[in-house]
Amino acid sequence: MGVQGLTGFVEERGVFFTELRVRDTKLVIDGSSLYHRLCFAPDADFRRGGDYGAFAAAVRDFFGVLRACGVAPFVVLDGGRGAEDRKLPTLRGRAAEQLRAAYGLSRGAGGCLVPLLTREAFVQALGRLGVPFVQCFAEADREIAGLANRWGCPVLSLDSDFCVFDLAGGYCPLSHFQWQSVRAAAAPQGCYVPARCFSAERFCRHFGHLSTGLLPLFAVMNGNDYIGLEALEAFFSKVRLPRGCAAGKGGKHLRLQGLLNWLAQFAEPAEAVDNVLKYLKKHQREEIRELLCTSMEDYAPSDVNLEDFFQNGSYECEAARKADVPQWVLDALAKGKLAPFIINALILRSTFLRVQVENMQRPSAHSTALPIRQVIYGLLLRLSHSTEDASSSKQTNELPIVCEFDRCQKTVKKTFVQAASLPPDFCDDRFPLDKLMEVPVSCRQMLLLETLGVKMSFLEPIPSHLQLSVAVTCYWIRCSEPKVKLNQLKALLLMVVSGELQRITDDPDPTVLPAEDDSVAYNEFLKWKEKKLQNDFDLDAAHSFCQWQCCLQMGLYLNQLLGTPLSEPDLSRLYTGTLVHRLYQELKSAPSVENLFILSPKMARLYLVLLNTVES
């Protein structure tokens, strides 16, 4: 993320930072940077698909610290890839990196990989904690910078692009935000988070008379997520860059430092661009000028006013209007009730399917959930584009096509997938995408359940907050290849029951008398968990649980797109990778572990109801 090499360059020279005591202030937080940071905890397990309970606890602790220090957080998340899809090459490169990491982890090497449902678990945690957040239409950097400048407060992120924006309250890198080392101060000030703050003005002063207005050109010329250096190699090979002061370690930042010193001779970007073009062949100049100017706009103020959203819930965005995104879709996206996957499928007809630690010899774990994705594409694309598109499709009876980037063996490949044809209710001209919520909820629920191959009568005995995950589990049993083993199913259901037991123990229902046997059973479960964990890793079982997560992810997205006809399950109580793997291993050697919750009649009953429902 951000400008190539810039983080290392500013870290080596502490002079660009000031010490900051963060308390009693608003703080604009880059949500994507934060959830990556919290997810990569030193003791996290990345091989077994994520421990969303531990992750949600870290999110809760983080915002608890901010509250104790009087900090008012406002979280801003990236949305889709944007209508122009300019970051596609960068995203493909990133997907290949993630695939290499997943392959290494599958073979027992170290490494980090964000578990599949981390973003969804993060959004759910923010909602539970009451932390104000917004999900933007596309990349959020400009909107984060605009909001922070409106309020004069710092930005918290881990993205060197924020060294380029001229931020009134400065940029605090997450790597120097010591929220786990809160300091107390003498009253009346109270406690604070020790942090370091980067100032663009201080940075520019270090390079003579460099104007902050030239930093966007510096970022673009040096290379960022949108533009590579190839176009400017001719410039760098011919120009003599001044060496300036303090060369970097081993000279690895010489070009970066030389470029800053060279730019300092110009008063404003247009003059500098003219001088860059002198070094290029005449026929290239206009194209490169346009490329540089367009890319510098990524650092210009955004037309979206996020203060409006946080005050009255309205998210207005010109780019979304140009892309013909229905207002209810934009509103749901902004409130985190739809995922970026949905907006990418809608406006780009293109999606990325994130790799997990799976068996690379087998087809991608996402292939199990393909029929669910096809229904999502059918809903989004059937009448969402211009009527001209719709009429030509009708004449040829062609279904829309979506391009998916997914794993094939050990490479990222693109495949073209046809959208599903939908039941008559959803093909009715009265209900295009912008009127999807006017389709009766019973029809929307029926489409969801038919896609998952389950009847509502089967789900009646299941608590409402578990119905979607049970329906997804039924789908997984039916569609997985190779077939799910009985012990894998039992391990998964025991894990779900453990989450329920934890829920009623930690957050008891005030209207129901707590049952003594529930807390006894929970304590016994905790004792069992503390026993030494066998460190076996079964790659085929991991692959099967990856398939379940893929099905759950697409089940969640389809449910959201249909206006949540079934309750959304709490991911922090639903999936713990280390636990499900351990249960599976123990069921193979000690089947009695199936009676783990026998001391609680209520939980023992729930387990049997879940098992009977799925098996039937």
Side-chain angles (χ1 to χ4, degrees), residues 372-517:
I372 310 177
R373 293 198 301 279
Q374 287 174 302
V375 172
I376 292 173
Y377 301 151
L379 283 167
L380 288 171
L381 301 173
R382 65 207 159 93
L383 286 174
S384 63
H385 290 267
S386 68
T387 45
E388 193 182 316
D389 274 8
S391 60
S392 65
S393 301
K394 266 183 199 163
Q395 284 160 14
T396 56
N397 273 336
E398 275 176 22
L399 291 163
I401 300 285
V402 173
C403 167
E404 293 185 336
F405 290 93
D406 191 10
R407 178 184 72 74
C408 177
Q409 304 291 112
K410 286 183 281 185
T411 56
V412 176
K413 289 261 171 76
K414 64 176 175 184
T415 49
F416 293 94
V417 167
Q418 202 165 45
S421 55
L422 298 173
D425 279 336
F426 292 88
C427 300
D428 191 326
D429 286 353
R430 290 171 306 156
F431 299 124
L433 182 62
D434 56 356
K435 299 225 172 23
L436 181 59
M437 290 306 112
E438 292 173 27
V439 176
V441 71
S442 57
C443 295
R444 286 182 271 135
Q445 187 186 77
M446 194 181 294
L447 178 63
L448 174 66
L449 294 176
E450 280 177 2
T451 304
L452 298 175
V454 180
K455 287 191 166 65
M456 194 62 205
S457 55
F458 274 108
L459 299 178
E460 306 271 279
I462 309 290
S464 61
H465 62 282
L466 292 178
Q467 287 176 340
L468 181 60
S469 37
V470 169
V472 161
T473 305
C474 293
Y475 173 92
W476 170 64
I477 294 282
R478 212 180 64 252
C479 298
S480 279
E481 202 52 60
K483 288 293 170 213
V484 175
K485 292 179 177 163
L486 182 59
N487 281 340
Q488 290 168 356
L489 170 64
K490 286 179 174 178
L492 194 83
L493 297 179
L494 284 167
M495 175 187 65
V496 171
V497 172
S498 76
E500 278 303 283
L501 184 57
Q502 187 189 2
R503 185 178 65 82
I504 61 175
T505 311
D506 292 355
D507 310 316
D509 180 345
T511 62
V512 177
L513 270 174
E516 179 67 26
D517 46 26

Side-chain angles (χ1 to χ4, degrees), residues 11 20 58 94 106 128 149 170 180 202 245 265 301 320 328 370 374 403 418 437 472 501 520 544 556 576 583:
E11 290 282 342
L20 191 65
R94 229 170 259 169
S106 75
R128 275 195 304 278
N149 277 339
Q180 287 161 311
R202 199 183 178 100
C245 48
Q265 64 186 305
W328 79 265
L370 174 61
Q374 287 174 302
C403 167
Q418 202 165 45
M437 290 306 112
V472 161
L501 184 57
V520 171
S544 191
L556 282 171
T576 303
L583 284 164

Side-chain angles (χ1 to χ4, degrees), residues 130-153:
V131 174
F133 74 94
V134 64
Q135 186 170 249
C136 298
F137 170 63
E139 179 132 329
D141 292 5
R142 293 168 63 213
E143 291 168 43
I144 289 171
L147 183 65
N149 277 339
R150 189 174 279 266
W151 287 341
C153 70

